[in-house]
Amino acid sequence: MTEVAATADANRHTLAENVMGVITGVFIASFGLFLLKESGAVSGGTAGLALLISYATPVSFGLLFLLVNVPFFALALWKKGLAFTLRTVLTVAMVSAFSYLHPLALGIGQINPVYGTLGGNLLIGVGLLILFRHGASLGGINILALILQEKLGWRAGYVQMVVDVVIVLVSLTVVSPWVVLVSAAGAVVLNLVLALNHKQGRYLGRT
């Protein structure tokens, strides 16, 4: 028992590791969202909803992303506990903040939509992996996907993929079919990153 406990302690993330992990995950994911926004692409989850509304209204993506996640904070508190919820609220707020910072720091005038959409989704997937492994998420559908994986054994990536495809199809009312097609390919890339890498028991680090 002592040996098992020692192994568990060795695999536990330190506070510094969690802080750096969350900051890194948020930065990578937020930069991926920035590429999507600059490409005029859409996405799934609450980020996709925020992007769609930002294209149709003058409200900024950062504010919308924070607002559409609010109902999911209650779900996180109910099913995942206070610590996870607080980390998720923090990461969502940080993504919103970075969404204002990236355009100020990077003067990107034009970006190839295929490159921006596929590359952006790849970065979002990597950022989510880092956040998941440090006990946080970007809120919204990610929370629901993680709960279903833990309770029913459904892969979080596959759950997210189904929901994302539905949201991308709805985006036909806002953007062109070509953008939707490229965005759908991007959604597949993002969720394959999660499905192939986020498996229970594969990663030993714990918060």
Short mmCIF file of all heavy atoms in Angstrom, two decimals, residues 3 10 22 30 47 82 127 131 172 199 202 205:
data_model
loop_
_atom_site.label_atom_id
_atom_site.label_comp_id
_atom_site.label_asym_id
_atom_site.label_seq_id
_atom_site.Cartn_x
_atom_site.Cartn_y
_atom_site.Cartn_z
N GLU A 3 3.81 1.56 -1.26
CA GLU A 3 4.40 1.71 -2.60
C GLU A 3 3.39 2.31 -3.57
O GLU A 3 3.73 3.17 -4.39
CB GLU A 3 4.84 0.33 -3.11
CG GLU A 3 5.78 0.40 -4.29
CD GLU A 3 6.35 -0.97 -4.62
OE1 GLU A 3 6.74 -1.69 -3.69
OE2 GLU A 3 6.36 -1.31 -5.81
N ALA A 10 3.82 10.57 -6.73
CA ALA A 10 4.79 10.91 -7.77
C ALA A 10 4.10 11.35 -9.05
O ALA A 10 4.64 12.15 -9.82
CB ALA A 10 5.71 9.72 -8.04
N VAL A 22 -2.16 25.03 -17.43
CA VAL A 22 -3.38 25.75 -17.80
C VAL A 22 -3.06 26.95 -18.68
O VAL A 22 -3.73 27.19 -19.70
CB VAL A 22 -4.15 26.17 -16.54
CG1 VAL A 22 -5.26 27.16 -16.89
CG2 VAL A 22 -4.74 24.96 -15.83
N SER A 30 -6.47 29.31 -27.50
CA SER A 30 -6.96 30.64 -27.88
C SER A 30 -6.34 31.11 -29.19
O SER A 30 -6.98 31.80 -29.98
CB SER A 30 -6.69 31.66 -26.77
OG SER A 30 -5.31 31.89 -26.61
N ALA A 47 -17.48 27.56 -28.45
CA ALA A 47 -16.65 28.46 -29.26
C ALA A 47 -17.27 28.67 -30.63
O ALA A 47 -17.27 29.79 -31.16
CB ALA A 47 -15.24 27.88 -29.41
N LEU A 82 -16.10 21.68 -7.28
CA LEU A 82 -15.76 23.09 -7.22
C LEU A 82 -14.41 23.40 -7.85
O LEU A 82 -14.26 24.37 -8.59
CB LEU A 82 -15.78 23.57 -5.77
CG LEU A 82 -15.43 25.05 -5.53
CD1 LEU A 82 -16.44 25.94 -6.24
CD2 LEU A 82 -15.39 25.35 -4.04
N GLY A 127 -4.37 22.20 -27.32
CA GLY A 127 -4.63 22.99 -26.12
C GLY A 127 -5.61 22.31 -25.17
O GLY A 127 -5.42 22.30 -23.95
N LEU A 131 -5.20 21.05 -21.22
CA LEU A 131 -6.13 21.47 -20.18
C LEU A 131 -6.78 20.27 -19.49
O LEU A 131 -6.90 20.24 -18.25
CB LEU A 131 -7.21 22.37 -20.77
CG LEU A 131 -6.73 23.76 -21.21
CD1 LEU A 131 -7.84 24.49 -21.96
CD2 LEU A 131 -6.27 24.58 -20.02
N LEU A 172 -24.59 26.89 -41.72
CA LEU A 172 -24.95 27.17 -43.11
C LEU A 172 -25.85 28.38 -43.24
O LEU A 172 -25.93 29.00 -44.31
CB LEU A 172 -25.63 25.94 -43.73
CG LEU A 172 -24.72 24.81 -44.21
CD1 LEU A 172 -25.53 23.56 -44.50
CD2 LEU A 172 -23.93 25.25 -45.45
N LYS A 199 -7.39 9.20 -23.51
CA LYS A 199 -7.99 7.92 -23.11
C LYS A 199 -7.73 7.71 -21.62
O LYS A 199 -6.66 8.03 -21.12
CB LYS A 199 -7.38 6.77 -23.91
CG LYS A 199 -7.61 6.86 -25.41
CD LYS A 199 -6.95 5.69 -26.13
CE LYS A 199 -7.14 5.80 -27.63
NZ LYS A 199 -6.50 4.68 -28.36
N ARG A 202 -4.29 6.30 -19.83
CA ARG A 202 -3.10 6.51 -20.66
C ARG A 202 -2.14 7.49 -20.00
O ARG A 202 -0.94 7.34 -20.09
CB ARG A 202 -3.49 6.99 -22.05
CG ARG A 202 -2.31 7.45 -22.89
CD ARG A 202 -2.69 7.63 -24.36
NE ARG A 202 -2.88 6.33 -25.00
CZ ARG A 202 -3.17 6.20 -26.30
NH1 ARG A 202 -3.33 7.26 -27.04
NH2 ARG A 202 -3.33 5.01 -26.80
N GLY A 205 -0.55 11.60 -14.83
CA GLY A 205 -0.51 12.84 -14.07
C GLY A 205 -1.87 13.22 -13.55
O GLY A 205 -2.86 13.15 -14.26
#
